[in-house]
Amino acid sequence: MASTTLAMKLFSLLISLFVIVQMAVAGDPDILSDFIVPPNVTVDGNFFTFTGMRFLVGVGPSTTFKASKASLAEFPALNGQSVSIDVLEFPAGSTSPPHTRVRASGLLFLIAGSLEVGFVDTTNKLFTQTLQPGDMFVFPKGLLHFQYNAGTAPAIAIAAFGSANAGLVSLPNTLFTTDIDDNVLALSFKTDVATIQRLKAGLAPKR
């Protein structure tokens, strides 16, 4: 009887350790093939090639903040590969507003210009840095972060993610362009409904 109880405890411990290890290495699910092909798609070199960034070559800097994406939605060959990228263009004075990536860490590589970057951890501690060309900065998975071009020249960066679908959640859009009740937001931000409505109006799509 004692040996049975001990065996059950050891089995439970092994299961617990397995779950913890799986959580520690969690990311996109592993696939059981080399790659995943959508139905009715011919697989050749074209399937593994993404040409959606060609427009960036030889053009002038963007006049507004712009993120050009190569994720699962734009590049189906990434399905199951646990990678994606964004090319980020920052005119002087522009920002990528505070946001999170709920399914992946992000690694930002600055190509040109300078950027103020930062994230806030779960203890509300802010970590910031000023990046120069050639610098990289990591944004831990799920934590609120931002980038801001405080300089006078454009900045260009590449953001790489450990997921084919990193899951962007933009705080301004999530809070002020959805149907969260104005009273809830006013109480949460310790302000009044009129202020919340002005914030919502500023984020409304231009007609």
Side-chain angles (χ1 to χ4, degrees):
M1 183 70 174
S3 61
T4 302
T5 303
L6 179 60
M8 289 300 294
K9 286 182 178 179
L10 287 172
F11 180 74
S12 298
L13 177 61
L14 286 172
I15 292 296
S16 299
L17 288 172
F18 175 78
V19 170
I20 290 169
V21 168
Q22 289 301 305
M23 290 173 64
V25 299
D28 289 353
D30 285 338
I31 59 176
L32 300 178
S33 58
D34 295 334
F35 44 85
I36 298 173
V37 182
N40 304 316
V41 171
T42 300
V43 178
D44 56 17
N46 292 317
F47 176 70
F48 301 101
T49 304
F50 182 70
T51 61
M53 300 290 187
R54 287 182 178 177
F55 73 94
L56 293 170
V57 179
V59 299
S62 176
T63 56
T64 59
F65 168 71
K66 186 175 182 182
S68 302
K69 302 177 181 296
S71 65
L72 178 59
E74 298 82 18
F75 191 8
L78 296 183
N79 192 9
Q81 303 304 317
S82 300
V83 292
S84 59
I85 68 164
D86 288 356
V87 176
L88 307 174
E89 299 176 83
F90 296 87
S94 66
T95 185
S96 175
H99 58 280
T100 65
R101 299 280 182 171
V102 296
R103 288 187 284 273
S105 301
L107 184 62
L108 188 82
F109 174 57
L110 186 63
I111 296 174
S114 66
L115 281 179
E116 308 290 329
V117 300
F119 68 86
V120 179
D121 72 6
T122 56
T123 68
N124 264 358
K125 183 175 180 180
L126 174 65
F127 297 85
T128 62
Q129 186 60 271
T130 301
L131 302 184
Q132 302 301 326
D135 292 347
M136 287 189 285
F137 191 85
V138 64
F139 299 101
K141 178 181 176 180
L143 297 185
L144 182 73
H145 58 277
F146 64 90
Q147 300 97 29
Y148 170 53
N149 182 359
T152 58
I156 300 176
I158 295 176
F161 307 103
S163 169
N165 184 14
L168 172 68
V169 178
S170 168
L171 255 65
N173 288 337
T174 300
L175 291 171
F176 299 112
T177 68
T178 57
D179 293 326
I180 299 176
D181 187 270
D182 289 351
N183 292 297
V184 172
L185 293 172
L187 288 168
S188 300
F189 287 95
K190 296 180 170 47
T191 187
D192 52 58
V193 169
T195 299
I196 296 299
Q197 290 176 343
R198 284 196 296 272
L199 288 168
K200 286 186 172 183
L203 289 166
K206 299 290 189 294
R207 294 184 178 180

